[in-house]
Amino acid sequence: MMPDTRLAPPPAALRLAIDRDALRGNWRELKRLSGAASAGAAVKANGYGLGARGIVPELLQAGCRDFFVAHAGEAASLLDLIDPAALSVLHGPVSDADAQWLKAVGVKPVINSLVQARRWHDVGGGRCDLMVDTGINRLGLPMTELGDEAVSSLEVDVLLSHLAAAEEESPLNALQLGRWREARAVVPHRRASLANSAGIALGAEYHGDLTRPGLALYGGIPCEALRGVIRQVVRPQAAIMQVREIGPGEAVGYNATYVAQQPMRVGTIALGYADGYLRCWSGKGLLRAGGSVLPVLGRVSMDMTVIDLGNAPDLKEGDWVEAGYHLPDAAIASGLSQYELLTLLGARFQR
Ligand SMILES: *Cc1c(COP(=O)(O)O)cnc(C)c1O
């Protein structure tokens, strides 16, 4: 018999609770801190793992008008949600095929080199953004090439640069600010942009006409100035699939890294390293249900993790628990960056 493909699958035992109110609130706060500049949003990497198609409508509703993705393919998946002219592809036209596609759909390339500038001219040119490298030495036009005819003939909407150490008190910040100002004086453009999330907190000099927060929209706190302003957005939650009682001397999980010292009640949840809950949480992660703390026991497996139910004797199969995921704290506990904690979150979460 053929399977009925119209039948909707049952809900997953794994979900990513996204606080849409907090997301919109974070954008508004970052807009407020951007002063006279408007605030855009970096929604690359599937909206930092949250699901770009789910968050873009929230950001639009909050008032966001400028969006940044890394790859052309990421722009393609958002074309029905965002005006193509308000969508910038940070990697720019990496190939001739990229340039042709960007031109055809009207999405703005961020031009990062003379090669990319010529590629854009070759397909007919038109409105684009320009990234100038002021000291990160990653992607962007070198300062020495600002005067090139291929650059001065571009129709630049946003002149961008990107800070290498905005979350630190680094001499690089002032150095990059100075070079960005030089670039603004040389290259004709409509708007200028320098600050990522942490850059916004560096003050008005760094704001230009448009800021480009990413991390902080999603609850990341890159610097002290944003603490108390930014709210948590993402909460990974998983259902308990099985509960068991184990006795002293019994081991839990791969390689028996946890051994019970007394009788225990433990639960297995549908969350593993394939979901982005990496093995660094083994024997270290904390889940919660109500006010109870439920430590991870032994190794995190690919699709599941075992937790101690000792603090919550009423929990049973089918009940939901939540992983501690306040990003600044989770970063310290796991050794991962707040960016990694977000972008790791896997495809199996119901978002
Ligand atoms: C990712 C990115 C941002 C956002 O940075 P956050 O640190 O996440 O706020 C801004 N600008 C560029 C060019 C980026 O690549």
Side-chain angles (χ1 to χ4, degrees):
M1 204 179 76
M2 290 291 285
D4 184 350
T5 51
R6 294 161 308 176
L7 215 52
L14 182 62
R15 66 191 178 206
L16 200 60
I18 295 175
D19 185 338
R20 290 161 198 281
D21 238 37
L23 173 65
R24 290 193 306 265
N26 288 345
W27 184 84
R28 278 191 222 100
E29 283 298 316
L30 292 160
K31 165 79 186 83
R32 182 180 61 77
L33 292 170
S34 299
S38 56
V43 297
K44 59 197 179 186
N46 199 22
Y48 284 48
L50 277 67
R53 292 190 59 83
I55 60 163
V56 161
E58 303 296 332
L59 294 169
L60 280 168
Q61 197 194 322
C64 183
R65 289 297 170 265
D66 294 275
F67 294 88
F68 296 87
V69 293
H71 293 252
E74 295 181 310
S77 65
L78 297 172
L79 281 179
D80 57 329
L81 298 177
I82 304 174
D83 172 9
L87 186 51
S88 300
V89 171
L90 289 163
H91 287 184
V94 174
S95 63
D96 293 346
D98 262 353
Q100 282 154 12
W101 184 85
L102 291 161
K103 176 72 183 170
V105 297
V107 167
K108 281 188 298 177
V110 176
I111 302 298
N112 291 289
S113 64
L114 290 183
V115 170
Q116 289 195 351
R118 292 186 191 119
R119 218 171 248 151
W120 188 236
H121 287 305
D122 285 348
V123 297
R127 229 166 58 107
C128 62
D129 294 340
L130 177 70
M131 172 69 80
V132 176
D133 196 313
T134 53
I136 195 169
N137 285 310
R138 193 179 62 170
L139 187 63
L141 191 78
M143 292 292 290
T144 50
E145 294 173 354
L146 288 177
D148 196 286
E149 202 276 329
V151 173
S152 52
S153 54
L154 289 171
E155 196 183 312
V156 179
D157 176 10
V158 186
L159 176 77
L160 300 88
S161 192
H162 191 57
L163 296 165
E167 67 281 7
E168 294 171 31
E169 255 181 65
S170 164
L172 257 178
N173 292 327
L175 182 79
Q176 291 196 267
L177 176 63
R179 289 179 179 162
W180 176 63
R181 284 179 170 153
E182 267 180 63
R184 291 176 70 173
V186 175
V187 181
H189 60 281
R190 202 163 71 85
R191 299 181 289 170
S193 174
L194 178 62
N196 62 347
S197 299
I200 292 172
L202 291 176
E205 289 179 308
Y206 289 79
H207 294 163
D209 305 302
L210 174 68
T211 60
R212 311 186 305 270
L215 181 74
L217 293 172
Y218 313 115
I221 302 176
C223 55
E224 277 309 308
L226 295 181
R227 201 177 285 277
V229 175
I230 295 302
R231 287 154 64 194
Q232 183 171 349
V233 174
V234 179
R235 294 187 163 78
Q237 300 172 342
I240 298 175
M241 300 186 293
Q242 190 171 38
V243 173
R244 59 169 19 91
E245 318 268 348
I246 60 173
E250 287 203 78
V252 174
Y254 282 124
N255 312 109
T257 59
Y258 181 84
V259 179
Q261 302 300 307
Q262 70 276 324
M264 296 178 77
R265 197 165 163 270
V266 308
T268 303
I269 60 173
L271 170 69
Y273 59 76
D275 305 301
Y277 199 68
L278 299 191
R279 271 174 59 154
C280 59
W281 292 111
S282 300
K284 188 191 283 183
L286 298 176
L287 287 98
R288 283 191 180 75
S292 309
V293 176
L294 317 167
V296 169
L297 301 176
R299 292 250 155 98
V300 172
S301 317
M302 187 184 295
D303 320 302
M304 42 195 149
T305 296
V306 178
I307 56 175
D308 183 356
L309 299 180
N311 291 326
D314 295 336
L315 281 183
K316 56 188 188 310
E317 282 170 26
D319 287 345
W320 287 80
V321 299
E322 181 172 306
Y325 228 71
H326 181 253
L327 291 169
D329 298 344
I332 291 166
S334 65
L336 298 168
S337 75
Q338 297 181 57
Y339 295 87
E340 290 169 303
L341 286 166
L342 287 172
T343 55
L344 278 166
L345 295 166
R348 294 193 296 199
F349 282 99
Q350 197 160 307
R351 284 169 166 85

